[in-house]
Every structure is written in C-alpha cells, then in structure tokens.
Amino acid sequence: MQSLVDQLETLPEWLDSQSQPAFRARQIRKWVLQKRAIDFAAMTDLPQPLRERLAETFTVLPLEIARHQQSPDGTEKLLVKLSDGNHVECVLLRDGARRTICVSSQVGCAMGCVFCASGLDGVERNLTNGEILAQMLLLQRLLPADERLSHIVMMGMGEPLANLNQVLGALEVATAAEGLGISPRRITISTVGLPPAIDRLAKLNCRFNLAISLHAPNDALRNQLVPVNDRVGIADLLDAAERYFQVSGRRLTFEYVLLAGVNDSVVQAVELANLLKGRCQLLNVIPYNPVAGLPYETPSPQAIAAFRETLMREGIEIKFRQRKGDKINAACGQLRRIANQSPQRHSLDGDAKGSTL
Ligand code: SAH
C-alpha cells in the first residue's frame, strides 16, 4: 500500500478522482504535517466515508517504530522499520530550547568511511521523499503538543548528496509554512563532499547550511579514511564548498572526527589549520563514538585538548560537539547493525541500558 506522505503532491488529483473538493488536500496535509496524525480515523473534520476510502488506499506513514530508546540527557532515538523490512535510524536531541532532529537519507551508505557504522555493509537503497519526511513526523510526535521541532540535521545514515532529489523533496515540506515551518537556516546537510551535487545545491539557490565531513588534513590520509576522496580530492572539494558559500551566504562548517593516533596529532592540527585558514567558517570537532568491531578509539582528553589548543592558536574557529546519546548508540548506523545482527534482541526495548547491547 502506498503511503500518504509519499503522495502529498498527487493528493489533489486523487481527491478529484474521488469527487472531493480541493480544500480537502489542505485539511489532510495539516492533519499529517502539523496536527501529528498518523491514522485517518483521527482526521475528524473529514467525512467518515472519505476517511474510510483514504484508509483503504493509503497508510499515513511508510514506516513504523521498531524500537525507541531514551537517554537520560533527553536524547531519543528511533529505529524505524520501512515497509520493505529495512531499518533506518533517526534521533531527537534536546539542547536548551532547541529541538534538533537527525534524519537518515539512505539504507546503509556507499561512501565507505572506515570508522562509520552506517556504511560497513554498503548501501541498500535510497530512501524516498516520504520515508525521509516520515522520520521527521515520528520525531515531532515525541514532543509535547506545545513544543515544535527547531532544527534538522541530515546526519543520520546515508549520504544525503547521493540521494539529493528525495532529500530536497522532504526538506521542501520541512521548510514550507504549511509544512513543518522550519527555516532553511536551521537545516544542515552533512556531506562527505560530492562537488557536482554541491554545485547543484548552489544552482538551486539553496539556503541550507552545509557541513563537510573532512576528517583529514591531506589527501593521503583522507583517501584512507573517506575512500570516496580518491575520486574527489580535498582541493576540488574546498573549491565547491566555496562556490556554495558564495551563493548561499551560509556559514560553512567542516566536521572532523577525532580518531586516536590516526588524525589527532598536533602536527595534523597545524596542517589542518593551514588548509582551512582564510576559508574556514567553523570547524566542528567530534570525538569518535566507538563502533563495535572497528579498531578506532576516542583520543585521550589530553590529546583532544592539545588538538583544540593548536587550532585555536592558529586562529581557527572551532567547536567541540558534545557527544549526546552515546549511551544509546546514537552514532547512526550502530543500532541498525545491532538489530540486523541479532534479531532476537529486538524485544529488548531500549532505554539507557541500550549501551550494553
Ligand atoms: N554522509 C554524511 C552524513 C554522515 S553522519 C557525511 O559524511 O557527512 C554525520 C557525521 O558523523 C559525519 O561527519 C560522519 O563522518 C560522522 N561519523 C560517522 N561515524 C561516526 C562515529 N562513530 N563517531 C563520530 N562521528 C561519526
């Protein structure tokens, strides 16, 4: 059965085919996008026969919650099951007044970053527009009625720029006033860095923030950590990022996952500073969130401090991302792997003890 959120654009035609007036489309969209309905029975201002016809034809969402974990710091993580049985993950983070959601764009990932859980088994498929939007809607439902989502980061599983059409389709609804009403300046697309797709974002005059996952100060190391770099190269990537900045006016962010003994030395910090000087708007350093079975480790607090001080001395604006939700395997891709590897553990409904799974 098709899902309504995958058919929002064709809904007016379907209603027409059912001899329904055009304003019903607006009503239904409002129920789904703003009034948080996930079944047609809740849509009390629609005539009963229409509700029944809708329920025979569509599901509201194309996915369901397979597992829900909550961390003491307010982070909540959903493992969702898609209608074909695949799983993806998405997260709600609470930070002061911010209600940020982290959303997946693909089942798995083809980029092959060696430290990341999402791509260990390659990419299975792209998510549809509706599957991306539906994650936002499920996360929105975790909030009390008087709270709204404030920020979106496309930092879940998958490479958003490898599924750009569907990601942009979902973000269009996220930004629309009669959708989720979230300003593009509160939306960040995180990418491994694919220059043709970055240029497309620029051509479309997008106003989203772009976060580039750099992770290494030179091509030799980046080729090892982020294999797709072999075909891209840091120089071309930085040029594309600069072109996007010229058009969007949005501050660029570079992300750098700190891996002990791999990319965290003071020499590498200096090399990174030299690479980014004059172009960097913000460097977001993320201490590694260990993934079971992978050989990488989080650096010691001393190594992290030395790395940070070196970059600050070199005049780079730097932010250390707090690691939220690591007790619930919130580095995306981890929960799905656990679910895939040990289906019998599905029944262990998650709480903060998820970290022991
Ligand atoms: N494909 C996009 C989105 C990936 S997830 C991208 O590459 O940007 C968002 C960020 O988390 C990326 O910078 C990614 O490299 C990083 N990341 C992946 N696994 C991680 C882990 N185990 N610990 C910390 N950061 C991780």
Side-chain angles (χ1 to χ4, degrees):
M1 206 188 275
Q2 292 177 322
S3 80
L4 187 79
V5 293
D6 270 307
Q7 299 297 323
L8 285 178
E9 279 183 11
T10 57
L11 186 59
E13 288 149 43
W14 182 85
L15 286 165
D16 193 46
S17 75
Q18 306 294 311
S19 310
Q20 290 288 328
F23 69 85
R24 297 275 182 230
R26 236 179 10 256
Q27 274 179 310
I28 295 169
R29 281 177 68 100
K30 191 163 183 182
W31 274 111
V32 174
L33 301 175
Q34 299 186 336
K35 298 204 264 184
R36 307 183 185 183
I38 52 168
D39 59 65
F40 295 108
M43 303 182 184
T44 44
D45 55 1
L46 302 183
Q48 179 67 21
L50 174 58
R51 278 186 259 163
E52 283 167 16
R53 188 76 192 104
L54 280 162
E56 285 161 19
T57 315
F58 304 105
T59 58
V60 176
L61 302 183
L63 40 73
E64 60 188 50
I65 297 177
R67 194 149 152 186
H68 180 186
Q69 295 186 318
Q70 282 174 280
S71 166
D73 66 11
T75 305
E76 295 184 56
K77 180 162 187 166
L78 300 179
L79 178 71
V80 299
K81 187 173 171 194
L82 310 173
S83 40
D84 65 358
N86 275 306
H87 291 89
V88 293
E89 299 169 30
C90 54
V91 183
L92 167 69
L93 298 123
R94 294 179 163 88
D95 186 10
R98 286 187 180 211
R99 298 291 176 265
T100 303
I101 55 172
C102 176
V103 175
S104 292
S105 56
Q106 298 181 307
V107 180
C109 183
M111 300 298 119
C113 301
V114 295
F115 50 83
C116 175
S118 297
L120 290 176
D121 303 317
V123 68
E124 178 80 26
R125 68 170 174 88
N126 284 337
L127 295 186
T128 66
N129 190 329
E131 286 168 333
I132 298 168
L133 178 61
Q135 295 171 65
M136 301 174 191
L137 298 176
L138 281 182
L139 292 164
Q140 173 174 251
R141 283 171 58 83
L142 301 179
L143 296 177
D146 61 343
E147 286 186 10
R148 298 187 49 209
L149 299 177
S150 64
H151 293 74
I152 300 177
V153 295
M154 295 302 304
M155 291 189 186
M157 291 171 52
E159 168 49 48
L161 295 196
N163 186 19
L164 193 52
N165 289 343
Q166 305 296 325
V167 167
L168 289 178
L171 290 181
E172 198 176 305
V173 181
T175 51
E178 68 286 4
L180 303 185
I182 301 175
S183 157
R185 56 185 57 235
R186 294 179 163 207
I187 296 177
T188 299
I189 300 180
S190 178
T191 176
V192 78
L194 306 175
I198 294 174
D199 284 334
R200 226 187 111 202
L201 285 177
K203 219 182 204 150
L204 292 170
N205 275 317
C206 287
R207 291 285 181 273
F208 305 116
N209 302 298
L210 196 61
I212 307 227
S213 296
L214 195 58
H215 306 328
N218 58 58
D219 279 324
L221 183 59
R222 194 165 195 265
N223 289 347
Q224 286 174 30
L225 300 179
V226 183
V228 71
N229 189 65
D230 218 12
R231 289 187 274 130
V232 177
I234 291 177
D236 283 357
L237 172 54
L238 295 184
D239 285 351
E242 185 65 27
R243 287 193 293 274
Y244 181 74
F245 171 65
Q246 295 298 341
V247 169
S248 72
R250 304 298 301 142
R251 177 165 83 162
L252 286 174
T253 301
F254 293 94
E255 294 169 279
Y256 196 99
V257 173
L258 269 188
L259 306 165
V262 176
N263 66 356
D264 65 338
S265 74
V266 166
V267 172
Q268 285 160 324
V270 172
E271 197 180 357
L272 181 62
N274 289 335
L275 181 70
L276 295 181
K277 249 179 222 167
R279 356 173 143 237
C280 179
Q281 316 277 315
L282 180 70
L283 181 69
N284 204 339
V285 179
I286 317 160
Y288 185 57
N289 195 345
V291 174
L294 294 184
Y296 304 98
E297 289 172 7
T298 314
S300 67
Q302 292 83 342
I304 294 176
F307 193 84
R308 165 191 216 141
E309 276 152 29
T310 307
L311 280 152
M312 282 169 58
R313 219 176 20 247
E314 298 285 334
I316 301 291
E317 195 185 337
I318 177 170
K319 207 168 82 186
F320 270 66
R321 187 183 297 163
Q322 279 178 297
R323 231 166 48 185
K324 283 193 170 257
D326 52 352
K327 294 253 166 19
I328 52 170
N329 291 305
C332 271
Q334 299 193 42
L335 196 58
R336 166 176 171 258
R337 280 184 66 72
I338 291 167
N340 283 350
Q341 284 162 7
S342 47
Q344 74 275 15
R345 290 191 171 172
H346 271 257
S347 57
L348 282 181
D349 212 351
D351 55 14
K353 292 188 205 75
S355 60
T356 59
L357 289 180

